[in-house]
Structure formats: C-alpha cells, structure tokens
Amino acid sequence: MRVLKYAILGLLNRHPMTGYDIGKEFNYELAEFWHAKHSQIYTELKKLHKEELVTFDIEISGDILEKKQYSITDKGREDLIYWLHKDELIGKTAKDVFRVRMYFCNFLDLDARIGLLESQKMQQTKRMNTLMKTAEQYPEVPLADSDRFGDYIILEGAIMRQKSIIAWLDKCIGYCQKAQEEKKA
Amino acid sequence: MRVLKYAILGLLNRHPMTGYDIGKEFNYELAEFWHAKHSQIYTELKKLHKEELVTFDIEISGDILEKKQYSITDKGREDLIYWLHKDELIGKTAKDVFRVRMYFCNFLDLDARIGLLESQKMQQTKRMNTLMKTAEQYPEVPLADSDRFGDYIILEGAIMRQKSIIAWLDKCIGYCQKAQEEKKA
DNA sequence: TTAAACATGTAAGCTGTTACATGATTTA
DNA sequence: TAAATCATGTAACAGCTTACATGTTTAA
C-alpha cells in the first residue's frame, strides 16, 4: 500500500520541504489521519529518491548545517495523482486499545470502569477543544481548489469524530452509574 | 504493548476456544476494534503457552483431526485483570487512508472527488446497516456484569462512529456539489 | 551560556501481512 | 464427490517503534 509514500508526495506536491518539516506536519493537521516518526520519514525519503519520485537541493543554514530541501519530480506527481484517483474498498475498522478494555470490562468493578471512562472522556475532550480552536481560523469553507480545502474538511471530520467518541463515552458512563445505583438499592 | 495478547486472553477468559475460533471472533464484534490474521494468532498462542498464560488440551474431531482447545491459566487471568485496569494516555489518532486522499483532494477535479465520496458513503452505509441489524438482537442494555455488556457498548459505539463518518461524507459531498454549481454559473 | 529547537541518520526489534504448505470434516 | 469450511502451522517481507548516535543554530 505504501501510504506514507503518498502522504509525503502529497506534502511535497504543495511545496518543497525538508524531512524535518515533514515530521512537523505529522504533528499538526496531518496527525488527524496519519503519523510517522522521523526515523521512518528519512528512510522513506531515501527510498523515494532512489525511485526518482523526489529530488533534493542541499542548502546551508548558518555556517555548516546542511538541510535537504526535497521537491517532487514529474514522475512523482504523476504517481501521486494516479493514486489519489483510486477508489479502494474500505478496510477493517481501525484498531482501538481502549475499546478492547471496554469489551472485556465486565471483569472490572463499576468504580474502575467509571474511572477509566472519565479519564478517557477528559483526554478526548481536551483533544476536541484543541481542534475547535484550530477551526476558529476558518471563518468560512475555503475554495474547493485550494490546499486549505483539504485542511478544512479533515479538521471538520476530526471534530465530528471527536464529538461522537465523547457522546459514546457519556452513554457508557451513564450505563455504569445506573448499574451502580441499582446495586445500592 | 502486546494488545493482541490481551485480546486473546480476554476471549479465553470468557471460555476455552481453539485458535481457529479466535480467528472467527475477529470477524464479528471484535472486528469493530481489533483484528488479526490466523498466522499471527497461532504465533501468539504459541508464545502465550511458553509464558504459561494459557494451556491447551488436544481434542480429536472425527477420526484424526486434532483441535487444540486453549484455556487461560490463573497466571494469565491475573495478567489480564491487571492490564484491564490500566489507565493509559490516548495515543495518536488512528490512521485513515481515505482521509489522506481527501486531504490532498484539491488535485482531483470535482467529479472525481464526488465519485470517491459517494463510493465511500455507500460502503460505510452498508457497514452501518449490518451493525444496526446486529443491534436488533438487544432489546435492552444487558446487565453490567455479563459478557454481553461489553458486546453491547462496543456495538453501540461502532454505530455512533459509523453515523458520524457518514454525516461527514455528506458534508463533503455538499461542499463539492456547491463548488460544481458555482463553476457552472 | 545554556536550553530549546533544528537537522539527519542507523540498528534492533516488534507487529502485521501475504504467501506457502498441508490435510480433515461436513454439507449439498 | 465436490465444494465449503474446519484446522494448524511456517517463511519472507513490509511497516513501524524505540533506542542509539551526532552535531548545529537560535533565542532567552
């Protein structure tokens, strides 16, 4: 599948950047649907260079420090555009460690369950607030042919996903609290 | 992390089963949050056996065929219960190939985008209908200390997630159609 | 001057997929 | 009797994480 390859080509198709810059992108909007460590990024860039999908120019920053500014080649752009058009079948649902715990939660007493659920809710809410703050930068939907259109719809999707996660956690907390009250009675 | 280890221990803690049975579980409810191929399952079971977290009895099915019925040991159960209590920090958002495509979709013309979005919507809707049909088996929320409680909340969470995905796709389709109309005018 | 951020890479090991490999039992 | 399902395994490879390794530049 080599999705990382296309995530990198997609970024370089916007404008040239270094491996380090690409790593930073995986901490902003991109982090809402893909991520990679620098070790993997540098390895992939080397591979893409061998395949002639990217080139680089060495720039000197300060006196000594060499920076590699990577750019996409025509061959790389062709490959990217072809991949973007692919209408692939949806795969298995993404893995989720917290749901594994909840699936087997009947072996946890109600206090422990509520504790885990509340902790999860706090963390997921914090993430949602960060997303909402980013969304304030968009007073309206960006033009459909601008880079920002992709940024915007992914951000909106991330907020919707986040809301649905929190709503589910609330439901689960409700069930557990109700069970706890029934136990007392 | 070894999540597969705990997914398997959790299943065996419900009742003994073969590697093949475990593989089948990953195609039902479990598939909503974890999955694994039989090659990985058999390898993991061997490892768990070495670690004395599971045991097995060989049963003969028919005349010759040997089936290994795996059971969890006390040591395995202890390990599982300890893991279930862990309140870990949420990780990076799950990877999503379709959102990679949409992030870079400004390099796709509007017809292609709408085509991809509609295809995605069709597939995600189909998945939701399957989940909704399964949910009909639950006339009410199961008791909090039964296996079925875990099954139920995961199913409910999967339906909510699915609804939110479809709502997002609809929004995206709407944006693209609006842009298309504006282009014509 | 020192801490944070910039910048690039390799090696070992774990996780997961695809392909190879074999054979028995059940149902139509 | 043929096809579907049951049943168990190994090998090669791809994807990803953690740790190792090094050094520069910028801003406080």
Side-chain angles (χ1 to χ4, degrees), chain A residues 107, chain B residues 5-6 9-16 52-55 71-85:
Chain A
F107 293 98
Chain B
K5 165 182 164 180
Y6 294 104
L9 288 179
L11 286 173
L12 293 179
N13 192 40
R14 289 183 165 191
H15 52 80
E52 299 182 313
L53 304 173
V54 302
T55 49
S71 309
I72 193 167
T73 63
D74 288 339
K75 196 178 162 191
R77 193 170 292 111
E78 203 182 300
D79 194 345
L80 171 66
I81 301 289
Y82 179 79
W83 183 81
L84 286 178
H85 277 90

PDB file of all heavy atoms in Angstrom, chain A residues 107, chain B residues 5-6 9-16 52-55 71-85:
ATOM      1  N   PHE A 107     -15.097  -7.720  33.742  1.00  0.00           N
ATOM      2  CA  PHE A 107     -14.163  -8.233  34.749  1.00  0.00           C
ATOM      3  C   PHE A 107     -13.559  -7.105  35.580  1.00  0.00           C
ATOM      4  O   PHE A 107     -12.627  -7.315  36.359  1.00  0.00           O
ATOM      5  CB  PHE A 107     -13.056  -9.069  34.088  1.00  0.00           C
ATOM      6  CG  PHE A 107     -13.596 -10.326  33.489  1.00  0.00           C
ATOM      7  CD1 PHE A 107     -13.881 -10.394  32.136  1.00  0.00           C
ATOM      8  CD2 PHE A 107     -13.882 -11.421  34.291  1.00  0.00           C
ATOM      9  CE1 PHE A 107     -14.427 -11.541  31.584  1.00  0.00           C
ATOM     10  CE2 PHE A 107     -14.420 -12.579  33.751  1.00  0.00           C
ATOM     11  CZ  PHE A 107     -14.696 -12.637  32.402  1.00  0.00           C
TER      12      PHE A 107
ATOM     13  N   LYS B   5      -2.114  -9.969  22.532  1.00  0.00           N
ATOM     14  CA  LYS B   5      -2.006 -10.863  23.688  1.00  0.00           C
ATOM     15  C   LYS B   5      -3.234 -10.732  24.595  1.00  0.00           C
ATOM     16  O   LYS B   5      -3.837 -11.742  24.966  1.00  0.00           O
ATOM     17  CB  LYS B   5      -0.730 -10.497  24.477  1.00  0.00           C
ATOM     18  CG  LYS B   5      -0.650 -11.060  25.874  1.00  0.00           C
ATOM     19  CD  LYS B   5       0.613 -10.596  26.586  1.00  0.00           C
ATOM     20  CE  LYS B   5       0.522 -10.820  28.092  1.00  0.00           C
ATOM     21  NZ  LYS B   5       1.744 -10.387  28.804  1.00  0.00           N
ATOM     22  N   TYR B   6      -3.615  -9.484  24.910  1.00  0.00           N
ATOM     23  CA  TYR B   6      -4.719  -9.271  25.844  1.00  0.00           C
ATOM     24  C   TYR B   6      -6.071  -9.503  25.198  1.00  0.00           C
ATOM     25  O   TYR B   6      -7.013  -9.931  25.865  1.00  0.00           O
ATOM     26  CB  TYR B   6      -4.600  -7.891  26.483  1.00  0.00           C
ATOM     27  CG  TYR B   6      -3.373  -7.811  27.360  1.00  0.00           C
ATOM     28  CD1 TYR B   6      -2.217  -7.142  26.948  1.00  0.00           C
ATOM     29  CD2 TYR B   6      -3.342  -8.487  28.576  1.00  0.00           C
ATOM     30  CE1 TYR B   6      -1.075  -7.132  27.743  1.00  0.00           C
ATOM     31  CE2 TYR B   6      -2.198  -8.482  29.364  1.00  0.00           C
ATOM     32  CZ  TYR B   6      -1.078  -7.803  28.940  1.00  0.00           C
ATOM     33  OH  TYR B   6       0.051  -7.817  29.718  1.00  0.00           O
ATOM     34  N   LEU B   9      -6.275 -13.256  25.509  1.00  0.00           N
ATOM     35  CA  LEU B   9      -6.518 -13.638  26.905  1.00  0.00           C
ATOM     36  C   LEU B   9      -7.951 -13.287  27.324  1.00  0.00           C
ATOM     37  O   LEU B   9      -8.607 -14.062  28.027  1.00  0.00           O
ATOM     38  CB  LEU B   9      -5.511 -12.948  27.844  1.00  0.00           C
ATOM     39  CG  LEU B   9      -4.069 -13.461  27.798  1.00  0.00           C
ATOM     40  CD1 LEU B   9      -3.188 -12.665  28.763  1.00  0.00           C
ATOM     41  CD2 LEU B   9      -3.993 -14.954  28.116  1.00  0.00           C
ATOM     42  N   GLY B  10      -8.435 -12.126  26.866  1.00  0.00           N
ATOM     43  CA  GLY B  10      -9.799 -11.710  27.197  1.00  0.00           C
ATOM     44  C   GLY B  10     -10.825 -12.694  26.663  1.00  0.00           C
ATOM     45  O   GLY B  10     -11.769 -13.070  27.356  1.00  0.00           O
ATOM     46  N   LEU B  11     -10.620 -13.153  25.445  1.00  0.00           N
ATOM     47  CA  LEU B  11     -11.545 -14.124  24.848  1.00  0.00           C
ATOM     48  C   LEU B  11     -11.487 -15.450  25.593  1.00  0.00           C
ATOM     49  O   LEU B  11     -12.514 -16.040  25.916  1.00  0.00           O
ATOM     50  CB  LEU B  11     -11.203 -14.346  23.370  1.00  0.00           C
ATOM     51  CG  LEU B  11     -11.566 -13.221  22.410  1.00  0.00           C
ATOM     52  CD1 LEU B  11     -11.013 -13.502  21.017  1.00  0.00           C
ATOM     53  CD2 LEU B  11     -13.084 -13.043  22.343  1.00  0.00           C
ATOM     54  N   LEU B  12     -10.263 -15.923  25.890  1.00  0.00           N
ATOM     55  CA  LEU B  12     -10.109 -17.209  26.580  1.00  0.00           C
ATOM     56  C   LEU B  12     -10.631 -17.137  28.011  1.00  0.00           C
ATOM     57  O   LEU B  12     -11.006 -18.154  28.597  1.00  0.00           O
ATOM     58  CB  LEU B  12      -8.643 -17.655  26.569  1.00  0.00           C
ATOM     59  CG  LEU B  12      -8.063 -18.005  25.201  1.00  0.00           C
ATOM     60  CD1 LEU B  12      -6.602 -18.401  25.318  1.00  0.00           C
ATOM     61  CD2 LEU B  12      -8.864 -19.139  24.535  1.00  0.00           C
ATOM     62  N   ASN B  13     -10.658 -15.925  28.564  1.00  0.00           N
ATOM     63  CA  ASN B  13     -11.189 -15.738  29.913  1.00  0.00           C
ATOM     64  C   ASN B  13     -12.709 -15.911  29.934  1.00  0.00           C
ATOM     65  O   ASN B  13     -13.292 -16.235  30.954  1.00  0.00           O
ATOM     66  CB  ASN B  13     -10.808 -14.348  30.432  1.00  0.00           C
ATOM     67  CG  ASN B  13     -11.068 -14.213  31.911  1.00  0.00           C
ATOM     68  OD1 ASN B  13     -10.821 -15.138  32.677  1.00  0.00           O
ATOM     69  ND2 ASN B  13     -11.570 -13.053  32.323  1.00  0.00           N
ATOM     70  N   ARG B  14     -13.350 -15.721  28.760  1.00  0.00           N
ATOM     71  CA  ARG B  14     -14.793 -15.963  28.671  1.00  0.00           C
ATOM     72  C   ARG B  14     -15.055 -17.468  28.657  1.00  0.00           C
ATOM     73  O   ARG B  14     -15.843 -17.970  29.424  1.00  0.00           O
ATOM     74  CB  ARG B  14     -15.365 -15.311  27.409  1.00  0.00           C
ATOM     75  CG  ARG B  14     -15.396 -13.782  27.505  1.00  0.00           C
ATOM     76  CD  ARG B  14     -16.031 -13.167  26.291  1.00  0.00           C
ATOM     77  NE  ARG B  14     -16.372 -11.758  26.538  1.00  0.00           N
ATOM     78  CZ  ARG B  14     -17.123 -11.019  25.737  1.00  0.00           C
ATOM     79  NH1 ARG B  14     -17.614 -11.538  24.638  1.00  0.00           N
ATOM     80  NH2 ARG B  14     -17.391  -9.765  26.034  1.00  0.00           N
ATOM     81  N   HIS B  15     -14.348 -18.168  27.776  1.00  0.00           N
ATOM     82  CA  HIS B  15     -14.423 -19.640  27.735  1.00  0.00           C
ATOM     83  C   HIS B  15     -13.334 -20.175  26.820  1.00  0.00           C
ATOM     84  O   HIS B  15     -12.858 -19.462  25.934  1.00  0.00           O
ATOM     85  CB  HIS B  15     -15.809 -20.107  27.253  1.00  0.00           C
ATOM     86  CG  HIS B  15     -16.238 -19.483  25.972  1.00  0.00           C
ATOM     87  ND1 HIS B  15     -15.789 -19.937  24.758  1.00  0.00           N
ATOM     88  CD2 HIS B  15     -17.032 -18.420  25.715  1.00  0.00           C
ATOM     89  CE1 HIS B  15     -16.317 -19.182  23.801  1.00  0.00           C
ATOM     90  NE2 HIS B  15     -17.064 -18.251  24.347  1.00  0.00           N
ATOM     91  N   PRO B  16     -12.933 -21.448  27.013  1.00  0.00           N
ATOM     92  CA  PRO B  16     -11.869 -22.044  26.187  1.00  0.00           C
ATOM     93  C   PRO B  16     -12.259 -22.072  24.720  1.00  0.00           C
ATOM     94  O   PRO B  16     -13.432 -22.188  24.383  1.00  0.00           O
ATOM     95  CB  PRO B  16     -11.767 -23.480  26.729  1.00  0.00           C
ATOM     96  CG  PRO B  16     -12.321 -23.418  28.099  1.00  0.00           C
ATOM     97  CD  PRO B  16     -13.426 -22.399  28.030  1.00  0.00           C
ATOM     98  N   GLU B  52       3.297 -19.526  29.879  1.00  0.00           N
ATOM     99  CA  GLU B  52       2.394 -20.164  30.850  1.00  0.00           C
ATOM    100  C   GLU B  52       1.162 -19.330  31.188  1.00  0.00           C
ATOM    101  O   GLU B  52       0.643 -19.414  32.305  1.00  0.00           O
ATOM    102  CB  GLU B  52       3.171 -20.537  32.126  1.00  0.00           C
ATOM    103  CG  GLU B  52       4.301 -21.516  31.835  1.00  0.00           C
ATOM    104  CD  GLU B  52       5.052 -21.943  33.091  1.00  0.00           C
ATOM    105  OE1 GLU B  52       5.396 -21.041  33.879  1.00  0.00           O
ATOM    106  OE2 GLU B  52       5.288 -23.151  33.262  1.00  0.00           O
ATOM    107  N   LEU B  53       0.707 -18.554  30.207  1.00  0.00           N
ATOM    108  CA  LEU B  53      -0.507 -17.759  30.411  1.00  0.00           C
ATOM    109  C   LEU B  53      -1.728 -18.506  29.873  1.00  0.00           C
ATOM    110  O   LEU B  53      -2.861 -18.157  30.210  1.00  0.00           O
ATOM    111  CB  LEU B  53      -0.363 -16.392  29.722  1.00  0.00           C
ATOM    112  CG  LEU B  53       0.863 -15.583  30.172  1.00  0.00           C
ATOM    113  CD1 LEU B  53       1.032 -14.331  29.334  1.00  0.00           C
ATOM    114  CD2 LEU B  53       0.765 -15.227  31.659  1.00  0.00           C
ATOM    115  N   VAL B  54      -1.478 -19.501  29.026  1.00  0.00           N
ATOM    116  CA  VAL B  54      -2.553 -20.367  28.518  1.00  0.00           C
ATOM    117  C   VAL B  54      -2.086 -21.826  28.529  1.00  0.00           C
ATOM    118  O   VAL B  54      -0.888 -22.100  28.544  1.00  0.00           O
ATOM    119  CB  VAL B  54      -2.965 -19.992  27.060  1.00  0.00           C
ATOM    120  CG1 VAL B  54      -3.411 -18.534  26.970  1.00  0.00           C
ATOM    121  CG2 VAL B  54      -1.838 -20.255  26.070  1.00  0.00           C
ATOM    122  N   THR B  55      -3.050 -22.737  28.549  1.00  0.00           N
ATOM    123  CA  THR B  55      -2.752 -24.172  28.362  1.00  0.00           C
ATOM    124  C   THR B  55      -3.671 -24.669  27.250  1.00  0.00           C
ATOM    125  O   THR B  55      -4.592 -23.964  26.849  1.00  0.00           O
ATOM    126  CB  THR B  55      -3.084 -25.000  29.621  1.00  0.00           C
ATOM    127  OG1 THR B  55      -4.406 -24.657  30.051  1.00  0.00           O
ATOM    128  CG2 THR B  55      -2.080 -24.750  30.731  1.00  0.00           C
ATOM    129  N   SER B  71      -7.111 -22.759  27.034  1.00  0.00           N
ATOM    130  CA  SER B  71      -7.737 -22.162  28.221  1.00  0.00           C
ATOM    131  C   SER B  71      -6.761 -21.180  28.839  1.00  0.00           C
ATOM    132  O   SER B  71      -5.546 -21.325  28.698  1.00  0.00           O
ATOM    133  CB  SER B  71      -8.058 -23.226  29.272  1.00  0.00           C
ATOM    134  OG  SER B  71      -8.780 -24.289  28.687  1.00  0.00           O
ATOM    135  N   ILE B  72      -7.293 -20.198  29.554  1.00  0.00           N
ATOM    136  CA  ILE B  72      -6.442 -19.241  30.255  1.00  0.00           C
ATOM    137  C   ILE B  72      -6.009 -19.861  31.596  1.00  0.00           C
ATOM    138  O   ILE B  72      -6.775 -20.605  32.205  1.00  0.00           O
ATOM    139  CB  ILE B  72      -7.182 -17.892  30.457  1.00  0.00           C
ATOM    140  CG1 ILE B  72      -6.207 -16.784  30.904  1.00  0.00           C
ATOM    141  CG2 ILE B  72      -8.337 -18.041  31.447  1.00  0.00           C
ATOM    142  CD1 ILE B  72      -6.831 -15.384  30.810  1.00  0.00           C
ATOM    143  N   THR B  73      -4.791 -19.592  32.027  1.00  0.00           N
ATOM    144  CA  THR B  73      -4.320 -20.080  33.339  1.00  0.00           C
ATOM    145  C   THR B  73      -4.571 -19.001  34.395  1.00  0.00           C
ATOM    146  O   THR B  73      -4.927 -17.877  34.062  1.00  0.00           O
ATOM    147  CB  THR B  73      -2.805 -20.377  33.305  1.00  0.00           C
ATOM    148  OG1 THR B  73      -2.115 -19.144  33.037  1.00  0.00           O
ATOM    149  CG2 THR B  73      -2.456 -21.399  32.248  1.00  0.00           C
ATOM    150  N   ASP B  74      -4.354 -19.334  35.665  1.00  0.00           N
ATOM    151  CA  ASP B  74      -4.518 -18.337  36.741  1.00  0.00           C
ATOM    152  C   ASP B  74      -3.554 -17.175  36.521  1.00  0.00           C
ATOM    153  O   ASP B  74      -3.916 -16.014  36.683  1.00  0.00           O
ATOM    154  CB  ASP B  74      -4.254 -18.979  38.114  1.00  0.00           C
ATOM    155  CG  ASP B  74      -5.390 -19.919  38.514  1.00  0.00           C
ATOM    156  OD1 ASP B  74      -6.504 -19.773  37.960  1.00  0.00           O
ATOM    157  OD2 ASP B  74      -5.177 -20.806  39.360  1.00  0.00           O
ATOM    158  N   LYS B  75      -2.334 -17.534  36.130  1.00  0.00           N
ATOM    159  CA  LYS B  75      -1.323 -16.516  35.854  1.00  0.00           C
ATOM    160  C   LYS B  75      -1.782 -15.595  34.711  1.00  0.00           C
ATOM    161  O   LYS B  75      -1.618 -14.376  34.775  1.00  0.00           O
ATOM    162  CB  LYS B  75      -0.013 -17.228  35.454  1.00  0.00           C
ATOM    163  CG  LYS B  75       1.228 -16.348  35.493  1.00  0.00           C
ATOM    164  CD  LYS B  75       2.466 -17.181  35.124  1.00  0.00           C
ATOM    165  CE  LYS B  75       3.638 -16.313  34.709  1.00  0.00           C
ATOM    166  NZ  LYS B  75       4.735 -17.108  34.106  1.00  0.00           N
ATOM    167  N   GLY B  76      -2.375 -16.196  33.698  1.00  0.00           N
ATOM    168  CA  GLY B  76      -2.876 -15.435  32.557  1.00  0.00           C
ATOM    169  C   GLY B  76      -4.006 -14.501  32.960  1.00  0.00           C
ATOM    170  O   GLY B  76      -4.070 -13.344  32.523  1.00  0.00           O
ATOM    171  N   ARG B  77      -4.885 -15.000  33.814  1.00  0.00           N
ATOM    172  CA  ARG B  77      -6.028 -14.204  34.258  1.00  0.00           C
ATOM    173  C   ARG B  77      -5.561 -13.002  35.084  1.00  0.00           C
ATOM    174  O   ARG B  77      -6.064 -11.887  34.926  1.00  0.00           O
ATOM    175  CB  ARG B  77      -6.990 -15.067  35.077  1.00  0.00           C
ATOM    176  CG  ARG B  77      -8.346 -14.412  35.325  1.00  0.00           C
ATOM    177  CD  ARG B  77      -9.354 -15.367  35.910  1.00  0.00           C
ATOM    178  NE  ARG B  77      -9.737 -16.409  34.972  1.00  0.00           N
ATOM    179  CZ  ARG B  77      -9.426 -17.700  35.085  1.00  0.00           C
ATOM    180  NH1 ARG B  77      -8.705 -18.112  36.105  1.00  0.00           N
ATOM    181  NH2 ARG B  77      -9.816 -18.563  34.169  1.00  0.00           N
ATOM    182  N   GLU B  78      -4.578 -13.261  35.928  1.00  0.00           N
ATOM    183  CA  GLU B  78      -4.020 -12.201  36.771  1.00  0.00           C
ATOM    184  C   GLU B  78      -3.436 -11.084  35.884  1.00  0.00           C
ATOM    185  O   GLU B  78      -3.699  -9.902  36.087  1.00  0.00           O
ATOM    186  CB  GLU B  78      -2.904 -12.811  37.626  1.00  0.00           C
ATOM    187  CG  GLU B  78      -2.585 -12.058  38.899  1.00  0.00           C
ATOM    188  CD  GLU B  78      -1.427 -12.726  39.632  1.00  0.00           C
ATOM    189  OE1 GLU B  78      -1.549 -13.922  39.998  1.00  0.00           O
ATOM    190  OE2 GLU B  78      -0.391 -12.049  39.799  1.00  0.00           O
ATOM    191  N   ASP B  79      -2.656 -11.508  34.894  1.00  0.00           N
ATOM    192  CA  ASP B  79      -2.038 -10.580  33.942  1.00  0.00           C
ATOM    193  C   ASP B  79      -3.111  -9.765  33.217  1.00  0.00           C
ATOM    194  O   ASP B  79      -3.030  -8.542  33.113  1.00  0.00           O
ATOM    195  CB  ASP B  79      -1.202 -11.406  32.941  1.00  0.00           C
ATOM    196  CG  ASP B  79      -0.242 -10.546  32.119  1.00  0.00           C
ATOM    197  OD1 ASP B  79      -0.407  -9.324  32.097  1.00  0.00           O
ATOM    198  OD2 ASP B  79       0.652 -11.118  31.487  1.00  0.00           O
ATOM    199  N   LEU B  80      -4.156 -10.449  32.753  1.00  0.00           N
ATOM    200  CA  LEU B  80      -5.252  -9.792  32.037  1.00  0.00           C
ATOM    201  C   LEU B  80      -5.936  -8.743  32.901  1.00  0.00           C
ATOM    202  O   LEU B  80      -6.116  -7.594  32.473  1.00  0.00           O
ATOM    203  CB  LEU B  80      -6.282 -10.841  31.579  1.00  0.00           C
ATOM    204  CG  LEU B  80      -7.594 -10.295  31.004  1.00  0.00           C
ATOM    205  CD1 LEU B  80      -7.372  -9.561  29.693  1.00  0.00           C
ATOM    206  CD2 LEU B  80      -8.617 -11.424  30.817  1.00  0.00           C
ATOM    207  N   ILE B  81      -6.329  -9.140  34.115  1.00  0.00           N
ATOM    208  CA  ILE B  81      -7.065  -8.225  35.011  1.00  0.00           C
ATOM    209  C   ILE B  81      -6.211  -6.994  35.320  1.00  0.00           C
ATOM    210  O   ILE B  81      -6.704  -5.874  35.336  1.00  0.00           O
ATOM    211  CB  ILE B  81      -7.468  -8.942  36.326  1.00  0.00           C
ATOM    212  CG1 ILE B  81      -8.350 -10.167  36.037  1.00  0.00           C
ATOM    213  CG2 ILE B  81      -8.168  -7.970  37.274  1.00  0.00           C
ATOM    214  CD1 ILE B  81      -9.738  -9.893  35.568  1.00  0.00           C
ATOM    215  N   TYR B  82      -4.906  -7.219  35.506  1.00  0.00           N
ATOM    216  CA  TYR B  82      -4.005  -6.106  35.773  1.00  0.00           C
ATOM    217  C   TYR B  82      -4.005  -5.133  34.582  1.00  0.00           C
ATOM    218  O   TYR B  82      -4.100  -3.920  34.743  1.00  0.00           O
ATOM    219  CB  TYR B  82      -2.587  -6.625  36.047  1.00  0.00           C
ATOM    220  CG  TYR B  82      -1.584  -5.533  36.312  1.00  0.00           C
ATOM    221  CD1 TYR B  82      -1.516  -4.913  37.556  1.00  0.00           C
ATOM    222  CD2 TYR B  82      -0.706  -5.102  35.317  1.00  0.00           C
ATOM    223  CE1 TYR B  82      -0.615  -3.888  37.802  1.00  0.00           C
ATOM    224  CE2 TYR B  82       0.195  -4.083  35.544  1.00  0.00           C
ATOM    225  CZ  TYR B  82       0.242  -3.477  36.788  1.00  0.00           C
ATOM    226  OH  TYR B  82       1.127  -2.464  37.018  1.00  0.00           O
ATOM    227  N   TRP B  83      -3.916  -5.701  33.379  1.00  0.00           N
ATOM    228  CA  TRP B  83      -3.887  -4.879  32.160  1.00  0.00           C
ATOM    229  C   TRP B  83      -5.193  -4.111  31.961  1.00  0.00           C
ATOM    230  O   TRP B  83      -5.177  -2.941  31.577  1.00  0.00           O
ATOM    231  CB  TRP B  83      -3.607  -5.759  30.934  1.00  0.00           C
ATOM    232  CG  TRP B  83      -3.498  -4.982  29.656  1.00  0.00           C
ATOM    233  CD1 TRP B  83      -2.411  -4.295  29.203  1.00  0.00           C
ATOM    234  CD2 TRP B  83      -4.533  -4.797  28.672  1.00  0.00           C
ATOM    235  NE1 TRP B  83      -2.699  -3.692  28.005  1.00  0.00           N
ATOM    236  CE2 TRP B  83      -3.985  -3.978  27.646  1.00  0.00           C
ATOM    237  CE3 TRP B  83      -5.848  -5.243  28.555  1.00  0.00           C
ATOM    238  CZ2 TRP B  83      -4.722  -3.607  26.524  1.00  0.00           C
ATOM    239  CZ3 TRP B  83      -6.585  -4.856  27.432  1.00  0.00           C
ATOM    240  CH2 TRP B  83      -6.022  -4.056  26.436  1.00  0.00           C
ATOM    241  N   LEU B  84      -6.314  -4.783  32.249  1.00  0.00           N
ATOM    242  CA  LEU B  84      -7.622  -4.137  32.052  1.00  0.00           C
ATOM    243  C   LEU B  84      -7.762  -2.873  32.905  1.00  0.00           C
ATOM    244  O   LEU B  84      -8.447  -1.935  32.522  1.00  0.00           O
ATOM    245  CB  LEU B  84      -8.774  -5.103  32.404  1.00  0.00           C
ATOM    246  CG  LEU B  84      -9.069  -6.234  31.416  1.00  0.00           C
ATOM    247  CD1 LEU B  84     -10.183  -7.112  31.950  1.00  0.00           C
ATOM    248  CD2 LEU B  84      -9.440  -5.705  30.035  1.00  0.00           C
ATOM    249  N   HIS B  85      -7.086  -2.849  34.062  1.00  0.00           N
ATOM    250  CA  HIS B  85      -7.184  -1.697  34.972  1.00  0.00           C
ATOM    251  C   HIS B  85      -6.352  -0.493  34.524  1.00  0.00           C
ATOM    252  O   HIS B  85      -6.527   0.593  35.056  1.00  0.00           O
ATOM    253  CB  HIS B  85      -6.728  -2.104  36.384  1.00  0.00           C
ATOM    254  CG  HIS B  85      -7.804  -2.770  37.186  1.00  0.00           C
ATOM    255  ND1 HIS B  85      -7.980  -4.133  37.165  1.00  0.00           N
ATOM    256  CD2 HIS B  85      -8.757  -2.276  38.007  1.00  0.00           C
ATOM    257  CE1 HIS B  85      -8.997  -4.447  37.960  1.00  0.00           C
ATOM    258  NE2 HIS B  85      -9.480  -3.335  38.487  1.00  0.00           N
TER     259      HIS B  85
END
